[in-house]
Amino acid sequence: MTADRVPVRDDLADVAPYGAPQLDVAVRLNTNETPEPPPLGYLAEVGRRIQGLELNRYPDRPATALREALAGRLGTTVDRMWAANGSNEILQQLLQAYGGPGRRALTVRPGYSMYPELCRTSLTPIAEVDLDAGFLLTPERAAEAVAEHDPDVILVPSPNNPAGTPVGHDALRVLHDSSRALLVVDEAYIEFAGPHHSAVGLLEELPRLVLVRTLSKAFRLAGLRLGYLVGPTWVVDDLQKVRLPYHLDAMKQVAGVVAVEQEEAFLEHRRRIAEERDRVATALRALREGDGGAGPVGGADGDLEVYPSVANFLLVRSSVPDLFGRLLEHGVLVRDFSTKPGLEGCVRVTIGTAEENDAFLAALERVLAAEQ
Ligand SMILES: *Cc1c(COP(=O)(O)O)cnc(C)c1O
């Protein structure tokens, strides 16, 4: 008797494929992209340059021109620079190289929801340390968690996703110096937060520190799938042992080089996003306080909380049941975190165009009004 299918790995049997819903709604504020397209002329320039590619040949395996361009941008050298198909692939490669059975990863809670997924597929046990009530990591807690779990890899998003808070350099130093781990600081949103929040200045001081970044967020190229790492040369050497040969295709390497050349034009929107973020946060706080004597909005508790964010999204907490679904009824897609421990009642809203943000605020106002 032969079976007509092969059972998937036991630990994957009950797993749902990861990913935010891709729904066809008017206002999509759920995956933290930049609402504006790449600068005018970018695709034309990429198109011009890919004409010269020999696509019958495999691409440059170490992606040297792209890594050199990225290294130049960060003022470092190509041997400290790595690139892959999105920072998610870099995180996966890091866990393949430094995690695995018999090793341990440590991350923060709340944190980026891909870390547990990547740990599962790489068979890396994962432990979590809770952020404090303001979604910050205290050096004390960092030290306790390292002492308790003795991790091999530490994954820290800074700014935090979904909270939007940066991690202090003091906490990063403690994570590094009290452990023997590779300290991975995931700076997916750092271009929004500003250079003073970046751990880039700690690279010289902390020999087991790597920074992981992406072109998916502030660089407006989520569709390109390109991320990069800067860190010690031995990490770059080790990652070559787990990467697939020719993992970065020739067209992407060109598209990445052109993006780095046009960096200024690509990042020029950040001020608008920051202004919109602060405008939306202020409007949300005004909603909480009630509009002009109409009484508190959102029930007797006046319960709408918006957390301070240095990124291009806001975490919002309310006691409205199924806020995610109620906003969706009004054509606004946000990210639902309400079932995550510590994030009860929370949704995360990406800062979009002014019109999209207004649509979100109007939808929220209607939902809250219907609750009264
Ligand atoms: C969006 C995001 C990424 C980006 O992943 P890519 O694979 O580069 O698109 C990485 N880390 C965090 C914390 C993110 O929010």
Side-chain angles (χ1 to χ4, degrees):
M1 173 76 184
T2 59
D4 58 7
R5 66 177 287 170
V6 178
V8 74
R9 234 165 65 179
D10 288 351
D11 62 320
L12 299 177
D14 298 321
V15 168
Y18 175 83
Q22 289 195 305
L23 302 179
D24 187 19
V25 298
V27 181
R28 288 181 299 169
L29 300 174
N30 69 330
T31 43
N32 293 347
E33 300 112 315
T34 296
E36 299 180 31
L40 214 64
Y42 169 69
L43 279 176
E45 179 62 15
V46 172
R48 202 181 61 71
R49 293 215 214 161
I50 62 176
Q51 301 299 319
L53 290 177
E54 283 188 326
L55 278 185
N56 56 315
R57 297 288 180 190
Y58 280 114
D60 177 36
R61 196 172 42 218
T64 306
L66 172 61
R67 285 165 57 220
E68 269 170 358
L70 289 165
R73 182 175 171 251
L74 282 151
T76 185
T77 48
V78 66
D79 55 347
R80 295 173 164 272
M81 185 62 62
W82 182 244
N85 297 284
S87 48
N88 279 335
E89 187 176 55
I90 294 187
L91 294 165
Q92 181 180 53
Q93 292 171 337
L94 287 168
L95 286 165
Q96 286 172 331
Y98 300 105
R103 295 198 166 199
R104 262 188 306 275
L106 174 69
T107 187
V108 294
R109 184 169 59 187
Y112 186 37
S113 38
M114 268 309 288
Y115 300 153
E117 306 275 327
L118 293 167
C119 284
R120 188 188 56 229
T121 47
S122 65
L123 305 176
T124 311
I126 182 171
E128 293 169 317
V129 49
D130 285 320
L131 300 180
D132 71 10
F135 296 120
L136 299 174
L137 179 63
T138 61
E140 295 73 29
R141 253 184 227 191
E144 276 167 30
V146 167
E148 185 182 347
H149 301 292
D150 186 28
D152 298 274
V153 183
I154 303 176
L155 302 164
V156 186
S158 180
N160 181 278
N161 177 9
T165 42
V167 177
H169 289 184
D170 46 354
L172 293 180
R173 278 198 187 88
V174 168
L175 286 173
H176 181 279
D177 292 346
S178 69
S179 79
R180 54 186 179 81
L182 184 73
L183 175 57
V184 181
V185 179
D186 180 352
E187 296 194 330
Y189 302 97
I190 199 65
E191 298 90 350
F192 294 109
H196 56 291
H197 285 300
S198 173
V200 74
L202 298 179
L203 280 168
E204 287 302 312
E205 184 187 332
L206 308 180
R208 287 173 279 108
L209 170 67
V210 300
L211 308 186
V212 177
R213 293 186 178 175
T214 179
L215 271 62
S216 298
K217 305 289 166 50
F219 251 95
R220 308 194 236 179
L221 286 170
L224 187 64
R225 309 301 302 126
L226 190 57
Y228 62 93
L229 167 147
V230 56
T233 55
W234 51 268
V235 170
V236 173
D237 293 343
D238 287 341
L239 290 181
Q240 324 236 9
K241 301 174 185 179
V242 296
R243 59 113 180 90
L244 294 173
Y246 317 111
H247 68 297
L248 283 174
D249 69 73
M251 296 204 275
K252 179 176 306 193
Q253 293 188 31
V254 168
V257 169
V258 178
V260 174
E261 287 172 2
Q262 300 186 2
E263 170 179 4
E264 224 172 297
F266 265 94
L267 295 181
E268 150 289 321
H269 65 96
R270 283 177 298 177
R271 198 190 164 79
R272 286 193 293 285
I273 295 288
E275 283 170 3
E276 275 297 294
R277 176 192 65 214
D278 296 343
R279 178 180 77 86
V280 173
T282 303
L284 288 169
R285 293 192 180 102
L287 267 183
R288 178 184 60 193
E289 264 120 49
D291 45 8
V297 179
D301 313 326
D303 58 345
L304 189 69
E305 196 159 358
V306 51
Y307 295 96
S309 165
V310 297
N312 65 331
F313 53 83
L314 292 166
L315 188 68
V316 181
R317 195 194 291 271
S318 92
S319 67
V320 176
D322 190 24
L323 180 59
F324 168 81
R326 303 285 301 280
L327 290 169
L328 192 54
E329 284 167 17
H330 290 95
V332 177
L333 180 60
V334 296
R335 192 68 174 267
D336 189 17
F337 284 92
S338 58
T339 60
K340 299 262 177 185
L343 295 176
E344 293 78 11
C346 285
V347 299
R348 188 196 67 199
V349 57
T350 305
I351 300 305
T353 62
E355 296 71 33
E356 289 171 327
N357 302 331
D358 284 341
F360 161 69
L361 289 168
L364 183 62
E365 203 163 357
R366 266 177 279 159
V367 169
L368 293 175
E371 279 294 299
Q372 290 200 57

